[in-house]
């Protein structure tokens, strides 16, 4: 069996995989691969998959699978899998860090202190007692919820496919965001969610919330968000993900002074990369036991 590691994983993973067969990162061996390991960088389009006749399994290290054409995989008999549980803590911690940084003015204080300023007139705000709306209520959102509740926040959530949880689940996305002070996005990218954080949803918000996105960049209409920031309909936007990555220079959120940006590093903790590797190994072991590879 040939296992090809195409994207960045923990350095220990190749050694862990050697017991299963040949492990390589040589892209010239793509046509020889039985198992392909990717993260978010590689786009497994129909065209990419077409010549890969030996490929049996794609494992996406992480949660989102919008970079894999699953219809094309099904037609070619390729199993497309992910590691849904491994990234929850890492991404949740980044989402909560971004949420904490805004009311505490951490970027502002750091920048002004380094300029020799002693600016105590700009006041901080507390998360305590504020309402957080979670859009999507999967593994990551539930970890964010735990942290928010520990800070005394009022947490609600919306997820089309989840019917029960440890916080109130709203009937619609509009109901969830209506009275929110903070909105944390954890949605998959689908035809239904593409650009959902746009002018229509923003029009239902009664406050001027902070929006945090550590899910999928395509779920945000970046032009509409920039306009809402300029018009005071949103107070801040913090994001780890973008409609195209790296974001183009013309991306309207990049030039706003009401934005906090990170370069899609939500899953990039040392601990999480180890967990992803362990989940990949466990997945391959199970597939071998089930004689699927």
């Amino acid at each position: 069996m040939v296992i090809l590691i195409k994207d960045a994983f923990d350095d220990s993973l190749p050694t862990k995989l050697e017991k299963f067969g040949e492990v390589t990162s040589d892209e010239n061996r793509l046509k020889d691969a039985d198992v392909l390991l990717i993260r978010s960088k590689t786009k497994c389009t129909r065209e990419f998959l077409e010549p890969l006749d030996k490929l049996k399994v794609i494992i996406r290290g992480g949660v989102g699978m919008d970079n894999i054409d699953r219809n094309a995989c099904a037609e070619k008999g390729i199993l497309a899998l992910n590691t849904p549980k491994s990234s929850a803590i890492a991404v949740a911690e980044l989402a909560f860090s971004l949420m904490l940084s805004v009311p505490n003015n951490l970027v502002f204080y750091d920048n002004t202190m380094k300029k020799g300023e002693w600016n105590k007139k700009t006041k901080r705000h507390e998360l305590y007692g504020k309402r957080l709306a979670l859009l999507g209520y999967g593994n990551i959102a539930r970890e964010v919820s735990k942290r928010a509740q520990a800070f005394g926040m009022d947490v609600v959530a919306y997820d089309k496919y989840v019917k029960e949880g440890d916080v109130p689940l709203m009937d619609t996305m509009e109901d969830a965001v209506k009275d929110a002070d903070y909105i944390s996005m954890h949605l998959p990218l689908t035809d239904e969610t593409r650009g959902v954080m746009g002018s229509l949803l923003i029009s239902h918000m009664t406050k001027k919330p902070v929006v945090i996105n550590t899910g999928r960049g395509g779920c945000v209409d970046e032009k509409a968000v920039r306009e809402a920031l300029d018009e005071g309909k949103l107070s801040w936007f913090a994001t780890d993900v973008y409609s195209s990555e790296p974001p183009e220079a013309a991306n309207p959120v990049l030039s706003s002074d009401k934005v906090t940006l990170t370069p899609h590093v939500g899953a990039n903790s040392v601990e999480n990369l180890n967990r992803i590797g362990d989940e990949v190994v466990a997945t391959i072991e199970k597939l071998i036991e089930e004689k699927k590879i």
Side-chain angles (χ1 to χ4, degrees):
M1 177 167 57
V2 176
I3 302 172
L4 194 147
I5 303 176
K6 194 164 185 309
D7 294 339
F9 286 79
D10 185 76
D11 291 341
S12 66
L13 183 57
T15 301
K16 293 177 181 178
L17 295 172
E18 285 177 354
K19 61 183 178 180
F20 301 123
E22 181 183 356
V23 183
T24 180
S25 58
D26 183 357
E27 295 191 19
N28 294 320
R29 301 289 309 281
L30 266 172
K31 290 185 178 181
D32 300 324
D34 299 285
V35 177
L36 177 64
L37 306 183
I38 66 168
R39 294 191 65 213
S40 59
K41 182 179 179 180
T42 296
K43 312 303 178 188
C44 293
T45 62
R46 182 176 295 275
E47 293 73 22
F48 175 88
L49 295 170
E50 183 60 35
L52 307 184
D53 294 328
K54 283 194 64 181
L55 190 61
K56 300 179 182 69
V57 179
I58 298 172
I59 302 176
R60 195 290 207 209
V63 180
M65 295 182 69
D66 48 281
N67 57 327
I68 301 174
D69 187 331
R70 282 182 277 182
N71 289 331
C73 285
E75 290 170 16
K76 289 180 69 68
I78 299 170
L79 283 174
L81 307 170
N82 62 352
T83 59
K85 296 181 179 179
S86 56
S87 300
I89 291 173
V91 180
E93 286 193 3
L94 178 64
F96 205 75
S97 296
L98 291 169
M99 196 183 331
L100 274 169
S101 73
V102 177
N104 285 290
N105 302 313
L106 294 186
V107 175
F108 171 78
Y109 288 142
D110 181 66
N111 286 340
T112 53
M113 284 290 291
K114 288 174 179 175
K115 293 177 183 177
E117 300 175 17
W118 187 254
N119 192 322
K120 297 190 66 166
K121 293 182 180 180
T122 301
K123 301 302 182 184
R124 297 166 47 243
H125 290 274
E126 299 173 0
L127 292 181
Y128 181 81
K130 304 301 190 300
R131 171 165 283 204
L132 168 64
L134 298 166
L135 301 186
Y137 198 57
N139 293 320
I140 296 170
R142 289 169 190 258
E143 291 294 337
V144 173
S145 177
K146 291 177 187 177
R147 288 151 180 77
Q149 290 181 74
F151 271 69
M153 299 185 79
D154 172 29
V155 184
V156 299
Y158 169 78
D159 192 308
K160 181 178 180 179
Y161 303 101
V162 176
K163 301 305 179 186
E164 59 182 28
D166 63 346
V167 300
L169 294 174
M170 312 305 281
D171 292 332
T172 67
M173 196 175 296
E174 290 78 10
D175 289 339
V177 304
K178 181 182 177 183
D179 297 319
D181 299 288
Y182 294 83
I183 299 167
S184 190
M185 300 181 65
H186 305 280
L187 298 166
L189 181 60
T190 66
D191 290 340
E192 189 175 7
T193 64
R194 189 178 299 278
V196 70
M197 181 55 68
S199 56
L200 182 59
L201 186 61
I202 292 169
S203 71
H204 290 273
M205 301 173 187
T206 60
K207 299 182 178 179
K208 301 173 182 178
V210 174
V211 175
I212 301 105
N213 189 17
T214 53
R216 285 291 173 261
C219 294
V220 171
D221 180 338
E222 291 159 335
K223 182 175 182 293
V225 164
R226 173 58 191 266
E227 290 173 354
L229 290 168
D230 291 344
E231 294 168 4
K233 296 177 181 177
L234 296 178
S235 62
W236 205 270
F237 179 55
T239 188
D240 186 47
V241 289
Y242 308 86
S243 57
S244 62
E245 297 187 354
E248 298 176 359
N251 186 314
V253 303
L254 298 186
S255 55
S256 173
D257 60 0
K258 297 178 180 179
V259 170
T260 303
L261 309 170
T262 54
H264 203 157
V265 293
N268 280 15
S269 72
V270 171
E271 295 84 354
N272 183 51
L273 290 175
N274 274 313
R275 282 193 297 268
I276 287 175
D278 290 342
E279 196 166 346
V280 166
V281 171
T283 299
I284 293 174
E285 285 177 338
K286 184 178 180 182
L287 291 171
I288 291 172
E289 289 174 6
E290 295 174 348
K291 298 183 179 180
K292 292 181 179 178
I293 50 175

